[in-house]
Amino acid sequence: MGPKRELKFALESFWDGKSTAEDLEKVATDLRASIWKQMADAGIKYIPSNTFSYYDQVLDTTAMLGAVPERYSWTGGEIGFDTYFSMARGNATVPAMEMTKWFDTNYHFIVPELGPNTKFSYSSHKAVNEYKEAKALGLDTVPVLIGPVSYLLLSKPAKGVEKGFPLLSLLSGILPVYKEVIAELKAAGASWIQFDEPTLVLDLDSHQLAAFSAAYAELESALSGLNVLVETYFADVPAESYKTLTSLSSVTAYGFDLVRGTQTLGLVTSAGFPAGKYLFAGVVDGRNIWADDLATSLSTLQSLEAVVGKDKLVVSTSCSLMHTAVDLVNETKLDSEIKSWLAFAAQKVVEVDALAKALAGHKDEAYFAANAAAQASRKSSPRVTNEEVQKAAAALKGSDHRRATTVSARLDAQQKKLNLPVLPTTTIGSFPQTVELRRVRREYKAKKISEEEYVTAIKEEISKVVKIQEEFDIDVLVHGEPERNDMVEYFGEQLSGFAFTANGWVQSYGSRCVKPPIIYGDVSRPNPMTVFWSKTAQSMTSRPMKGMLTGPVTILNWSFVRNDQPRFETCYQIALAIKKEVEDLEAAGIQVIQIDEAALREGLPLRKAEHAFYLDWAVHSFRITNCNIQDTTQIHTHMCYSNFNDIIHSIIDMDADVITIENSRSDEKLLSVFREGVKYGAGIGPGVYDIHSPRIPSTEEIADRINKMLAVLDTNILWVNPDCGLKTRKYTEVKPALTNMVSAAKLIRTQLASAK
């Protein structure tokens, strides 16, 4: 099953009250021991600890610092699971903290809420406890902490705190806690400590860079006697940040992502590297599943060795391996040729060890030869290239693929056909994925039930979901996606150029795991993918039924993508495949089609200079999917759990008729962009309640949110919907929440009518 899925089931069992905290801790302890042993057996010298999290590492740091918002009524002492998971998921009385994406990945983190009155105290000994746990197994690990400056830069002012509050002013408050942790680690016998400071790859100003110098100068005495590694990842380190980082006297070693940060390699070789310091060279890709080109990496390492020195160069992955699948050994059904091109986490640590040994003069010639043969096989394989697809994608140049009429004209035409009320209600797509539903899909894949039995079961589930929505009086319905385990995997299984794993799970947050498909070749759509189920659902109701699709940018960003051509070329290919599906849905009589682009913001490059190019091809890809449909067909899109305010003009440029977008989990941050004067003319549904929390919002609470939206958005464009899909929730939570949502919409409609 793999450690990520084991943790998922252990967490869900604990949350459901089926197991105890001791049961959960035992699962975690066994998983950590297994992972540490695997790395030790592979020959890894610097084994990290404190990288295992029950939810995410930023929340772990919030717990370590005792930075618990007042609403959770924490009274001090060691933070336990109740407080920890309340911050992550909310509880019956208070909402969860905001959740957003970890840089440009599909991993999420809980955003710290800080202010001038936040009191910090050492309140979680997790880092020290896990170091001691590993030491008891005979392993001297490198404890990993989120660095103090990155922690503050990733935080936000708490509710009621001035928006411009200088979060870095809290350094003096958190550093004493870091000193306590460092002192305990030293006392426990640690010889190395790692601080992750990934914000160093962002566009930082001089004040922010000065904070790094100040923080590590303040920690210097506490760090005395330790080897200190500061790790960066996901992009190039800018020249000024490189200069600041390499001048920190308390730091022994620097870690750089040399896969996504190729220009950093130039800084090391041309701008110089401090004498006597270690370089952790991230040459093995920690974010993808392709086997490393060992010959190329070895050449890179040899050039670095000439600059850094033989005894100061450490071979590493580009980032944590949490972003890739666990072990290729578990993939017994994967095509053998494609499998030879891949390396999951277990294989990547072997690659790291092989490169280190080769650098030391002990090259495994057979291993390197097999790697070279696999690289050559991938480059020459006919299954990678489809000339027809490449020609179609190349033909896209020269057009921006916009629909012929304005969004206001289209909305008028759609309203005449759909006849929706003011403040129309809808949901985002998925409904609860019950145990029975998962069993049906599992048995069908295992050929334990026939296709006829499977279709009957799925039709029954769709019928149930349709009836529930009609009973609640929802205006635009969804079929609930009972045939789909995952929104990207489902489409990838029906597109050419994709491969699938049985156990390639990756943690997204907490218990949420995804199994990204592998895009190995040119992409096309051999057959319709959703038309049968959408037609079936529409036949069960007279209300509009959405056709539900995943957009090209989201399919791209939530897959392991081929690295032998630019990402935008692959995205255009996917866009053409989705375009065919959109046109087939329209031809089948589906009047509302949702093309989710939940991950569009996620893929935004970390450096501002690269934003425009990405947004141009990403937005263009979305427009390609629906450029030829009729004005009366309403195109929706959906986005969630990212900061959208800085790309609002690109969202407008997508030219969708309606966008539903996460809003309540982020404390209505989205609405501020409209308060600041941005005009939005298309339909928009900022989420009215958080679906990642078991908490059920009241009718009054939702009505209050709708009124806040109406203060900045026109009545005739506002939709009412949850933040996101409902697949992770139970029906006992979904039914009252949706009932209250519809009641709130009707309440506001009545108030608006009486005010005329």
Side-chain angles (χ1 to χ4, degrees):
M1 178 164 58
K4 295 171 185 179
R5 291 282 277 177
E6 285 182 52
L7 176 62
K8 167 189 170 63
F9 294 128
L11 282 168
E12 291 175 349
S13 177
F14 174 70
W15 292 337
D16 290 344
K18 297 176 181 176
S19 61
T20 66
E22 290 74 21
D23 295 329
L24 177 58
E25 287 169 346
K26 184 180 186 310
V27 170
T29 299
D30 291 346
L31 289 176
R32 285 192 294 267
S34 173
I35 292 167
W36 289 331
K37 183 179 185 302
Q38 193 169 15
M39 284 191 277
D41 290 346
I44 300 300
K45 180 179 179 181
Y46 301 96
I47 298 173
S49 61
N50 196 40
T51 55
F52 182 97
S53 180
Y54 290 105
Y55 215 86
D56 79 79
Q57 279 97 347
V58 178
L59 183 61
D60 293 346
T61 309
T62 294
M64 182 186 84
L65 295 169
V68 181
E70 287 185 10
R71 65 181 178 274
Y72 299 107
S73 302
W74 175 65
T75 56
E78 188 79 3
I79 290 176
F81 283 150
D82 283 351
T83 300
Y84 181 87
F85 288 127
S86 289
M87 289 191 286
R89 307 175 72 237
N91 57 42
T93 58
V94 292
M97 296 165 69
E98 179 183 352
M99 182 170 69
T100 195
K101 297 293 176 72
W102 178 247
F103 293 81
D104 58 349
T105 75
N106 190 28
Y107 188 66
H108 298 64
F109 72 95
I110 302 299
V111 182
E113 301 173 11
L114 308 176
N117 298 321
T118 304
K119 293 179 174 61
F120 300 101
S121 62
Y122 187 13
S123 304
S124 170
H125 293 66
K126 177 178 178 292
V128 177
N129 291 341
E130 290 188 16
Y131 173 79
K132 290 179 178 178
E133 192 179 299
K135 195 162 189 183
L137 298 172
L139 298 171
D140 187 17
T141 58
V142 180
V144 179
L145 302 175
I146 298 292
V149 182
S150 287
Y151 176 78
L152 292 177
L153 291 176
L154 293 168
S155 301
K156 71 173 186 177
K159 197 167 187 177
V161 174
E162 195 69 33
K163 185 179 177 182
F165 173 72
L167 291 162
L168 289 175
S169 67
L170 299 175
L171 261 179
S172 60
I174 68 173
L175 289 179
V177 179
Y178 275 88
K179 289 179 182 179
E180 288 187 71
V181 179
I182 292 164
E184 284 198 5
L185 287 169
K186 286 170 72 172
S191 57
W192 278 84
I193 186 169
Q194 176 177 321
F195 294 100
D196 279 6
E197 294 282 13
T199 56
L200 278 164
V201 306
L202 304 178
D203 296 305
L204 302 179
D205 60 33
S206 58
H207 174 68
Q208 292 167 324
L209 289 175
F212 286 94
S213 300
Y216 286 91
E218 176 65 24
L219 292 174
E220 187 163 5
S221 176
L223 291 168
S224 176
L226 283 173
N227 288 299
V228 180
L229 166 63
V230 173
E231 187 69 58
T232 67
Y233 36 78
F234 299 155
D236 284 301
V237 176
E240 283 302 309
S241 299
Y242 178 84
K243 183 178 177 182
T244 298
L245 175 57
T246 54
S247 66
L248 300 177
S249 58
S250 59
V251 176
T252 315
Y254 312 99
F256 299 120
D257 181 339
L258 300 181
V259 176
R260 291 181 174 235
T262 52
Q263 292 178 33
T264 304
L265 180 63
L267 285 174
V268 174
T269 56
S270 62
F273 191 79
K277 300 293 179 87
Y278 289 85
L279 170 61
F280 281 61
V283 293
V284 174
D285 192 349
R287 281 185 61 174
N288 217 326
I289 42 66
W290 302 109
D292 188 65
D293 184 339
L294 295 177
T296 299
S297 291
L298 183 58
S299 176
T300 298
L301 291 165
Q302 288 167 338
S303 67
L304 288 169
E305 188 178 59
V307 176
V308 177
K310 197 175 190 69
D311 61 334
K312 298 297 181 183
L313 183 62
V314 179
V315 184
S316 179
T317 56
S318 63
C319 62
S320 165
L321 292 173
M322 67 182 292
H323 304 290
T324 191
V326 177
D327 196 342
L328 201 53
V329 170
N330 298 327
E331 302 305 326
T332 56
K333 297 180 181 179
L334 194 60
D335 178 278
S336 60
E337 182 183 28
I338 294 174
K339 190 173 180 178
S340 73
W341 303 341
L342 307 178
F344 290 0
Q347 288 69 48
K348 289 179 185 293
V349 296
V350 173
E351 290 177 336
V352 167
D353 183 59
L355 286 166
K357 286 176 177 173
L359 200 60
H362 306 292
K363 184 178 179 183
D364 185 335
E365 296 291 351
Y367 182 74
F368 271 70
N371 175 266
Q375 298 291 326
S377 162
R378 185 177 167 213
K379 287 177 182 175
S380 61
S381 175
R383 66 198 305 176
V384 170
T385 305
N386 182 323
E387 288 188 14
E388 184 180 341
V389 171
Q390 292 193 350
K391 285 178 182 176
L396 294 171
K397 295 174 183 176
S399 171
D400 62 5
H401 296 90
R402 292 183 185 276
R403 292 168 76 179
T405 52
T406 64
V407 68
S408 59
R410 299 197 306 266
L411 288 173
D412 287 344
Q414 292 156 13
Q415 179 59 16
K416 288 174 184 174
K417 192 169 186 179
L418 298 173
N419 193 29
L420 298 173
V422 172
L423 306 180
T425 54
T426 190
T427 65
I428 304 306
S430 60
F431 262 61
Q433 299 274 306
T434 63
V435 172
E436 174 63 18
L437 184 55
R438 293 179 190 277
R439 182 194 64 77
V440 167
R441 286 201 305 261
R442 188 170 59 249
E443 290 187 353
Y444 177 59
K445 280 197 168 185
K447 296 183 169 52
K448 292 182 179 179
I449 61 173
S450 67
E451 182 174 1
E452 183 180 358
E453 290 172 309
Y454 171 74
V455 169
T456 298
I458 297 300
K459 282 183 176 180
E460 288 174 358
E461 182 68 19
I462 292 172
S463 177
K464 180 179 81 173
V465 169
V466 169
K467 287 175 182 175
I468 287 171
Q469 293 172 91
E470 288 183 329
E471 286 171 9
F472 295 161
D473 204 17
I474 291 174
D475 300 303
V476 176
L477 311 190
V478 298
H479 75 292
E481 303 177 8
E483 79 283 14
R484 309 178 194 181
N485 178 60
D486 177 86
M487 60 189 286
V488 173
E489 183 181 5
Y490 175 81
F491 289 98
E493 285 178 336
Q494 301 180 76
L495 295 169
S496 64
F498 281 74
F500 292 87
T501 64
N503 296 289
W505 298 99
V506 176
Q507 186 184 20
S508 183
Y509 57 86
S511 69
R512 171 72 172 146
C513 293
V514 294
K515 198 166 53 169
I518 298 165
I519 305 178
Y520 68 84
D522 291 334
V523 178
S524 62
R525 187 204 71 150
N527 299 296
M529 302 179 286
T530 65
V531 175
F532 173 77
W533 296 118
S534 292
K535 283 180 66 177
T536 298
Q538 185 63 80
S539 71
M540 297 176 180
T541 181
S542 60
R543 302 186 185 209
M545 173 66 63
K546 289 186 195 175
M548 299 299 304
L549 305 175
T550 302
V553 185
T554 297
I555 291 176
L556 182 87
N557 286 334
W558 286 358
S559 298
F560 290 125
V561 183
R562 58 190 294 191
N563 58 2
D564 59 345
Q565 71 176 15
R567 288 172 70 88
F568 70 85
E569 291 186 12
T570 302
C571 198
Y572 284 154
Q573 293 177 0
I574 301 170
L576 287 171
I578 299 299
K579 178 176 181 287
K580 289 182 179 179
E581 188 72 10
V582 170
E583 291 167 0
D584 281 353
L585 282 168
E586 182 183 61
I590 304 302
Q591 302 174 61
V592 182
I593 303 171
Q594 182 169 307
I595 308 167
D596 284 349
E597 283 296 12
L600 187 139
R601 173 61 175 78
E602 172 187 313
L604 190 70
L606 301 179
R607 305 291 289 283
K608 291 177 183 175
E610 301 169 20
H611 286 188
F613 178 67
Y614 167 79
L615 289 169
D616 179 67
W617 63 256
V619 170
H620 187 192
S621 295
F622 177 83
R623 289 200 306 262
I624 288 167
T625 64
N626 58 91
C627 61
N628 288 342
I629 64 164
Q630 300 172 25
D631 287 357
T632 50
T633 300
Q634 189 167 84
I635 295 295
H636 288 223
T637 191
H638 170 67
M639 296 182 180
C640 55
Y641 305 107
S642 290
N643 181 11
F644 300 106
N645 293 24
D646 57 349
I647 64 163
I648 190 65
H649 293 290
S650 294
I651 292 173
I652 294 170
D653 200 36
M654 291 170 71
D655 201 28
D657 297 313
V658 179
I659 179 171
T660 50
I661 193 163
E662 177 268 323
N663 170 68
S664 59
R665 180 70 186 251
S666 58
D667 200 24
E668 300 170 340
K669 185 193 303 181
L670 172 71
L671 299 185
S672 65
V673 78
F674 303 114
R675 294 189 191 103
E676 292 163 6
V678 170
K679 299 298 181 185
Y680 197 81
I684 183 167
V688 296
Y689 79 90
D690 174 23
I691 61 85
H692 284 301
S693 171
R695 180 174 170 272
I696 298 165
S698 66
T699 297
E700 294 73 23
E701 179 183 333
I702 295 175
D704 181 59
R705 286 194 185 277
I706 296 171
N707 278 322
K708 288 179 181 177
M709 296 170 191
L710 288 172
V712 294
L713 293 165
D714 292 341
T715 307
N716 64 338
I717 66 169
L718 186 62
W719 285 63
V720 177
N721 47 264
D723 265 354
C724 200
L726 304 171
K727 68 184 293 182
T728 61
R729 300 267 55 88
K730 300 171 185 170
Y731 273 106
T732 52
E733 299 159 345
V734 166
K735 288 181 176 180
L738 291 181
T739 297
N740 293 348
M741 183 188 82
V742 174
S743 296
K746 290 181 175 179
L747 175 65
I748 303 299
R749 286 174 195 160
T750 301
Q751 292 173 354
L752 290 171
S754 63
K756 287 184 178 179

